[in-house]
């Protein structure tokens, strides 16, 4: 953010990255991102921000508990007609991105300017669509993630290998399984995975949302969840508020299986003993959903050039490699190895392996893409109506 | 005949409070009194302005904004379209949420008053230990509800501190996320009772000790002194704090969100969830929910202030 | 320094109840008026109105002829010592007394020095640094007095200022007030229930009853020439013999007594102060007495009240029994009890006599009563 | 209250009123219960702040560590602490006098108008903070109100009910007669306020100021949404830390860092003032 | 119903300052003791300790021989009327009076009926439904009295209960107390500054000074045989002539006067009450007088205090000038002023004489002073 500009000012457009660099010099970029991830915070503060400073950009991290807060802020500012927005860059994906797009809150068409975009695979579906919403150059990829289950190997010797198996295991072990209540991000994903599973596979459900397809596929999933509910933790009378609450249950031995959309964090959680060292990742035969997360620039950002510089920097092999180090953050890179030169490749090859989390290749075997964002609220609301309130 | 005009800055209580009504012997008197009452009145209004104006402005803007959003008149995207969907679409859920909120607020208020008054009396009655309790109780006031709720969660949740202290019995009740909102209410009572005690002690005049002595020599036991002297003299303070506690717990979000069950949802939890929803169409509904909470609280305040002032006139 | 004070037809009511009716009162500059009156008669209200704390519902307060209506309390240059001391609880003793000086803009040290002098006057210099909550009742009253004096007022209003002081201290305080009067000569209005105090402090006494001024006159007038029986009672007069006045004489069980010229004919009480009567041994010759029998004895410590009952049928051998040196005293031997309205035809009357020490009398004993300085006064019944 | 002091002298054997002897015991018991009630929820927080690993069913932490305290020394944390302090003081400085004026006006205005002022002063309580903020935010942004000023404005409105009602209840117990005395002693109205009313209402002022300070010191929602990221306060750090797994220790430490400074203020000058009876 | 009350060596201090020293006091069942004492001498503290509101730092309070140490205030069956009324502000007048009955478990209607009777006793039935904030000072005191009486206490403690009542009402209240004593016979301790009140109400008077009991005796003893000059002053005695006692006689400017047998030799004041003296016209024959000149006149309204100064060189033509009927009065013609310690060698002495009415004297006028009932009493100086 910077000096308040006049309302109604047209956002500057840039023709070349040189222009961007010129403009960016001396700007202060406010990066709004979820602040609950200590490793993430440390990476931005200690690795990314110094690198940005070398390019003449001051990077300031604004910690928030929920990305929706950032989107709300941008929307409010736009509603008020402010062009000197306080948000310059957001770590975003999925529904929040889609919301912003609906509201035309993002600056678009700027990613092609970034030199480092050339290192990504332009055809990678994860980078093309964000939860079914075309990216259209409105956000620059940052890292990839894979929905992952994990279990306590001290309690379960013979873990299930499919989602159906997990539900069956839950029925056989009353009180030992639960999932976060949607609209928690992780809980929502679990819901969709169950739907894909009850539908007979990811390919059975079209990515695009329509009421017909919803009516066709959702009921089976909801039935399955309703059926398993009595066997869940607390008999399904209540659900953990969010992924963090589920993790606490897992750590305290209340449940034996948990899940996350950010497997990168598991390494550190186990290392710091926040999770038991018997924690093991559970890979499903049918694969799980994967996504990419991005850095987006609001249309009214007051320092867009600086934001672009940071986004470009974040895509550099050095930063991507540093970020992929499980000791730093462990986030899966978005770069296409094929496009890197040998030196750059070696940066990644030299990374230590995580003792808990398998490699991205292994995790993303049989992976499928996210459904369109419209699915998310529809399913969440249906779950609230039919599963959450029935007990 | 001229009456002394009250100087600037003092309240009209200098004049026994019953200005006007009783002075009607002479026509001139009435006129003067009337003029003066006008002055007192105008000065009081001036006094009120610095406080009232920001409140009215901020609340007015907020309420108008919220109402407009609830009616679809202030969408983030697209043209404004008047619609009552935010209200009518979920009337049943709104009612259910309102009931839950009312339950939490009522239970928390009653218990806070009881505990708060007990703390206040204890502080008055026990010289040494009372000071400790007073200090500790005052020390809980700075704790934000969010932290209080977190702490209460650590204490009361399944395999929380209490459960562990008791040796992890299987029959440990569902305090956090259970059907009776016990952890939520505990947190409110824990925090708000300290507030009640603060207000009650603050309202006690110096003569309280003398009056208790007086009551004792008239045969009132310690308990009777509390019930028949301390309690009635604390009623105004208790009433005001009851109002504040009720309205606060009715509209607060942190505790029920952290410590309550997934369903049913109190009004504020529902409003926040809907407001944060990725579906922009949920905003009108969020605002409608918030406005129901506002309306209920406003009704409570209206009733409370009415009762309070009526009581004061009786006294 | 001092100012004349005048109340002109002041009335006051508290929410419908009339508390003062048409009260008029004049206090000359440097004068001191004592306000006497029954409990609840409106004395404190009068002071509050003078001070400007309550506004009268009608009438005016004038100081040196100027209407105070528009003058603020604090500009009236008056000080009021309240019935309950009302010391500021947030200030200690000396700072309470220093308050007026502070308000007048003096610096703290100066104001305290000044205050200390006044504390010495009320004999509380040792208590200067006490919190006011730790004083006895009488100490509180004295601090309140010192505080009011420290204001150096033109007009000093005192509401029962010495009620909780012991005799000795009270006398010291009387001296203090006399000194203040001699030196600074403020105009003073003092409310008291103690007519002795009123007599000592005040030039004149005003008697208030149910919000009306019954009489305002000198100490002597009020004692010996009360306007009404109520005034007599409020001044501690115990003797009011019912009867009636006709032809300048009061007729009662006691006989006929010439009374003041201004007495109008009709039913009337004969007022004789108990202090003006004395007991005379019946045998003692040459002293005109009225014989009666002792019907009650109340010891007041150093003095004793003896009630003597008279019956109209009593033999009254000596003529002019009440005739002392006063030529007005007339023949009581043939009392005319047949007043036109039949008033005063009670067949017994009681006189209370105030005697020194213990008279060693028995109930029923026959004694003579003589009027020490021969005074008789009739008031309308 | 001397009246309920325990009897000091032991009762001679065989005399009455044994029940009297129990009362101090009951009272001590009650005291212990109250202390427990107040401290119980804080205990796990304190333990967590020094816990390394602490998993059920361990009653006390499995391992101890004070690592998280190091984060308190970080520049960002200190800056956040300063920001919180500034916000709290700003809110209190504005809301306390406004609350006083409002309370005075509410008390002196007759009937319906007085009630109206009372209602208006209490009204902010009725509006959940997020609704207040979201409703007002657009307008604040439109008017280009600087972030800090906007946050302070919103929080002042939130804090007003507290300051106003501290004064309302103190004024109810207040003896107007003291003002009468002062005026007869020559104090003009402004002096009456300065030398009588203000000191007699000092306790209420301390309380009101403190509560208003806490509104600013502990705020999250308004700081986030109105402050627009310009203002990073302790609660913002805390909120972020609390929303993830494995951060219990940091969360606990940050919680303590939010709680302890006001408690220190309280202990330094506040406790007597806050727990004392009203002066008047 | 009534109980004996005893204080045994009660001491008390407020945070270091000793307020009571070794106070012992016995009040027999149904007895009434008046506590007299200077302001701040500890009277209120004594009552609070008896009531159990303060615990003495040493000593015991016994009721019927039982130590009250462990008995709670409310179980002591006492009622205390405080110096400042301390009415409950949240209750109106009648509910204040009904309070004790309510505490004893009576229902509201019953308690109010009961309370109404007491309100009638204090003449405030009309004020039953007033808020207590709207009473005058005297009305408050009476409500407090009614409330205490309504408790029907075994022991009634009154702290200056009638200080703000007018004479008439005060007398009514005395009657009320007498009635209560006659009917219910509670044991009473009453603090007062009015020795007349003390004389009327109490069987005996205890004088407190600086936290010590100086004397406890009958009304007569305290007036005429005070233990110390302080007691004399507190009881309003104005005459204390310095001199010394030797050989059963007091030597002073006034001459030699036989005093009580128990007087020890040494410097002593001669105590003569002003009420026991009278002025005698110097010419009046046959009446032994001491001649002096009028040095001051203070009007007390119905009475007057005349100060008469005597010089040792004054011619005293008549022998035995103070000799009334008292055989103890001795020859004053040759006063021996050479006490061993030189005490009492002042060459003038002043006697104050209390006379009825206005004696019409001039300053400097020579008058004779006679002892009405011949009393002389010496106390150690
Ligand atoms: N709370 C207290 N702390 C310290 N000293 C006190 C306290 N209360 C009273 N005193 C002191 O104790 C002494 C006795 O007080 P007490 O009230 O018993 O006097 P008192 O005889 O009733 O006087 P008065 O006739 O003026 O009411 C006084 O000197 C007073 O200053
Ligand atoms: N605030 C009030 N509201 C209504 N009536 C009142 C108020 N204050 C006093 N009164 C009444 O007015 C009358 C006069 O009161 P005031 O205080 O002037 O009496 P007072 O002569 O001073 O009596 P006392 O000697 O008992 O102090 C009393 O009957 C009292 O009950
Ligand atoms: Mg009065
Ligand atoms: Mg006293």
């Amino acid at each position: 953010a910077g000096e308040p500009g006049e309302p109604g000012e047209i956002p500057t457009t840039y023709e070349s990255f040189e222009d961007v660099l010129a403009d960016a010099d001396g700007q202060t970029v406010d990066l709004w991102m979820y602040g609950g991830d200590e490793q993430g915070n440390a990476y931005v503060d200690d690795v990314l921000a110094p690198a940005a400073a070398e390019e003449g950009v001051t990077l300031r991290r604004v910690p928030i508990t929920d990305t929706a807060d950032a989107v709300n802020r941008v929307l409010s500012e736009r509603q008020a007609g402010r062009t000197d927005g306080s948000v310059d860059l957001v770590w975003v994906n999925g529904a929040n991105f889609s919301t912003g797009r609906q509201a035309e809150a993002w600056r678009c068409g700027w990613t092609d300017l970034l030199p480092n975009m050339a290192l990504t695979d332009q055809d990678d579906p994860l980078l093309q669509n964000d939860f079914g919403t075309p990216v259209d150059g409105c956000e620059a990829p940052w890292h990839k993630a894979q929905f992952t289950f994990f279990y306590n190997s001290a309690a379960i010797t013979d873990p299930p290998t499919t989602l159906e198996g997990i539900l069956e295991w839950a029925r056989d072990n009353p009180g030992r399984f639960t999932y976060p209540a949607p609209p928690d991000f992780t809980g929502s994903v679990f819901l969709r995975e169950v739907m894909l599973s009850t539908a007979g596979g990811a390919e059975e459900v079209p990515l695009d949302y329509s009421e017909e397809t919803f009516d066709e596929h959702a009921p089976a999933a909801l039935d399955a969840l309703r059926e398993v509910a009595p066997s869940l933790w607390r008999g399904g009378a209540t659900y953990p508020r969010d992924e963090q609450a589920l993790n606490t249950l897992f750590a305290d031995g209340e449940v034996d299986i948990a899940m996350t959309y950010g497997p990168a964090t598991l390494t550190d959680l186990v290392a710091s003993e926040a999770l038991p060292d018997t924690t093991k990742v559970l890979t499903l035969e049918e694969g799980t959903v994967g996504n990419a997360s991005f850095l987006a620039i609001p249309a009214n950002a007051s320092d867009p050039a600086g934001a672009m510089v940071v986004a470009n920097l974040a895509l550099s092999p050095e930063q991507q490699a540093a970020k992929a180090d499980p000791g730093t953050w462990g986030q899966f890179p978005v770069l296409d190895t094929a496009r890197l030169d040998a030196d750059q490749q070696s940066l990644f090859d030299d990374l230590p392996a995580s003792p808990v989390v398998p490699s991205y290749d292994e995790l993303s075997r049989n992976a499928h893409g996210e459904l369109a964002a419209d699915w998310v609220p529809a399913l969440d609301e249906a779950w609230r109506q039919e599963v959450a309130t029935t007990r | 005949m001229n009456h002394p005009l009250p100087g600037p800055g003092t309240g009209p209580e200098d004049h026994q409070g019953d200005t006007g009504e009783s002075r009607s012997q002479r026509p001139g008197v009435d006129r003067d009194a009337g003029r003066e009452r006008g002055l007192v009145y105008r000065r009081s209004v001036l006094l009120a302005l610095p406080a009232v104006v920001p409140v009215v402005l901020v609340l007015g803007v907020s309420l108008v904004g919220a109402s407009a959003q609830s009616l679809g008149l202030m969408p983030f995207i697209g043209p404004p379209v008047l619609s009552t969907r935010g209200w009518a679409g979920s009337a049943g859920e709104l009612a259910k949420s309102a009931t839950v909120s009312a339950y939490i607020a009522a239970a928390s208020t009653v218990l806070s008053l009881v505990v708060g008054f007990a703390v206040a009396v204890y502080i008055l009655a026990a010289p040494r230990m009372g000071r400790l309790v007073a200090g500790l109780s005052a020390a809980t006031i700075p704790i934000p509800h969010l932290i209080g709720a977190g702490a209460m969660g650590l204490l009361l949740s399944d395999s929380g501190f209490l459960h562990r202290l008791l040796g992890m019995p299987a029959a440990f009740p569902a305090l956090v996320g259970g059907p009776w909102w016990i952890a939520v209410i505990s947190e409110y009572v824990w925090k708000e009772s300290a507030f009640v005690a603060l207000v009650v002690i603050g309202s006690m005049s110096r003569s309280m000790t003398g009056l208790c002595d007086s009551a004792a020599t008239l045969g009132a036991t310690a308990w009777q002194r509390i019930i028949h002297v301390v309690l009635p003299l604390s009623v105004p303070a208790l009433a005001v704090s009851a109002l504040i506690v009720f309205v606060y717990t009715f509209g607060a979000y942190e505790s029920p969100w952290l410590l309550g069950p997934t369903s049913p949802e109190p009004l504020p939890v529902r409003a926040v969830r809907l407001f944060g929803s990725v579906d922009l169409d949920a905003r009108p509904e969020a605002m409608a929910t918030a406005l129901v909470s506002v309306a209920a609280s406003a009704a409570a305040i209206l009733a409370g202030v009415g009762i309070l002032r009526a009581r004061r006139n009786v006294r | 320094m001092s100012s004349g004070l005048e109340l002109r037809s002041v009335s006051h009511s508290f929410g419908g109840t009339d508390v003062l009716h048409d009260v008029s009162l004049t206090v000359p500059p440097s004068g001191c008026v004592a306000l006497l009156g029954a409990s609840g008669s409106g004395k404190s209200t009068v002071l509050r109105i003078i001070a400007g704390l309550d506004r009268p519902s009608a009438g005016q307060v004038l100081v040196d002829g100027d209407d105070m209506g528009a003058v603020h309390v604090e500009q009236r240059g008056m000080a009021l010592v309240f019935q309950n001391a009302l010391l500021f609880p947030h200030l200690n003793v000396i700072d309470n007394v220093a308050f007026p000086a502070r308000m007048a803009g003096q610096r703290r040290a100066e104001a305290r020095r000044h205050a200390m002098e006044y504390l010495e006057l009320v004999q509380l210099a040792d208590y200067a640094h006490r919190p006011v909550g730790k004083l006895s009742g009488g100490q509180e009253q004295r601090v309140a007095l010192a505080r009011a004096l420290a204001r150096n007022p033109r007009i000093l209003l005192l509401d029962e200022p010495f009620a909780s002081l012991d005799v000795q201290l009270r006398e010291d305080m009387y001296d203090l007030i006399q000194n203040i009067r001699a030196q600074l000569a403020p105009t003073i209005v003092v409310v008291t229930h103690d007519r002795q105090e009123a007599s000592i402090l005040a030039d004149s006494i005003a008697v208030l009853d149910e919000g009306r001024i019954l009489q305002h006159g000198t100490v002597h007038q009020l004692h010996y020439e009360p306007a009404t029986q109520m005034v007599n009672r409020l001044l501690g007069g115990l003797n009011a013999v019912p009867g009636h006045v006709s032809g300048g004489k009061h007729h009662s069980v006691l006989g006929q007594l010439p009374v003041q010229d201004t007495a109008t004919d009709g039913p009337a009480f004969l007022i004789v102060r108990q202090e003006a009567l004395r007991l005379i041994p019946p045998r003692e010759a040459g002293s005109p007495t009225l014989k009666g029998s002792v019907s009650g004895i109340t010891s007041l410590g150093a003095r004793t009240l003896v009630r003597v009952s008279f019956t109209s049928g009593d033999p009254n051998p000596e003529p002019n029994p009440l005739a002392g040196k006063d030529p007005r005293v007339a023949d009581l031997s043939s009392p005319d009890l047949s007043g036109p309205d039949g008033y005063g035809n009670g067949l017994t009357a009681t006189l209370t006599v105030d005697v020194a020490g213990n008279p060693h009398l028995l109930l029923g004993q026959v004694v003579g009563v003589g009027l020490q300085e021969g005074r008789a006064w009739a008031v309308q019944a | 209250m001397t009246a309920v002091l325990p009897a000091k002298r032991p009762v001679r054997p065989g005399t009455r009123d044994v029940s009297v002897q129990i009362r101090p015991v009951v009272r001590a018991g009650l005291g212990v219960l109250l202390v427990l009630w107040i401290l119980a929820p804080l205990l796990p927080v304190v333990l967590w702040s020094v816990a390394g690993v602490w998993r059920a069913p361990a009653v006390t932490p499995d391992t101890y560590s004070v690592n998280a305290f190091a984060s308190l020394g970080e520049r960002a944390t200190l800056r956040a602490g300063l920001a919180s302090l500034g916000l709290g003081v700003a809110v209190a400085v504005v809301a306390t006098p406004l609350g006083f004026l409002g309370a005075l006006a509410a008390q002196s205005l007759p009937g319906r108008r007085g009630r109206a002022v009372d209602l208006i002063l209490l009204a902010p309580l009725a509006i959940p903070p997020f609704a207040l903020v979201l409703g007002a935010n657009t307008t604040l942004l439109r008017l280009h109100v600087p972030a800090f000023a906007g946050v302070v404005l919103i929080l002042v409105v939130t804090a007003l009910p507290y300051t106003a009602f501290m004064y309302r209840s103190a004024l109810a117990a207040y003896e107007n007669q003291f003002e009468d005395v002062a005026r007869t002693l020559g104090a003009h109205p402004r002096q009456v306020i300065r030398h009588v009313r203000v000191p007699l209402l000092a306790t209420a002022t301390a309380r009101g100021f403190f509560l208003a300070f806490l509104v600013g010191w502990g705020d999250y929602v308004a700081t986030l949404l109105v402050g627009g990221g310009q203002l990073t306060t302790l609660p913002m750090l805390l909120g972020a830390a609390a929303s993830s797994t494995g951060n219990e220790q940091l969360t606990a430490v940050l919680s303590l860092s939010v709680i302890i400074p006001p408690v220190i203020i309280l202990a330094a000058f506040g406790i007597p003032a806050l727990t004392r009876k009203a002066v008047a």
Side-chain angles (χ1 to χ4, degrees), chain C residues 44 83 159-160:
Chain C
S44 301
Q83 203 164 354
D159 199 348
E160 301 184 31

Side-chain angles (χ1 to χ4, degrees), chain B residues 16, chain C residues 14-15 17 19 37-46 83 159-160 191 193 208:
Chain B
Q16 292 276 320
Chain C
F14 283 116
T17 328
V19 168
S39 173
S41 57
K43 303 179 295 296
S44 301
T45 310
V46 167
Q83 203 164 354
D159 199 348
E160 301 184 31
V191 168
H193 288 301
L208 204 60

Side-chain angles (χ1 to χ4, degrees), chain C residues 124 127 130-142 164-166 169:
Chain C
L124 284 174
Y127 291 75
R130 277 257 172 125
V132 293
K134 300 187 167 180
L135 296 177
S136 78
Q139 288 161 347
E140 283 181 0
Q141 265 194 337
R142 283 181 279 159
S164 358
L165 302 187
D166 58 281
L169 202 50

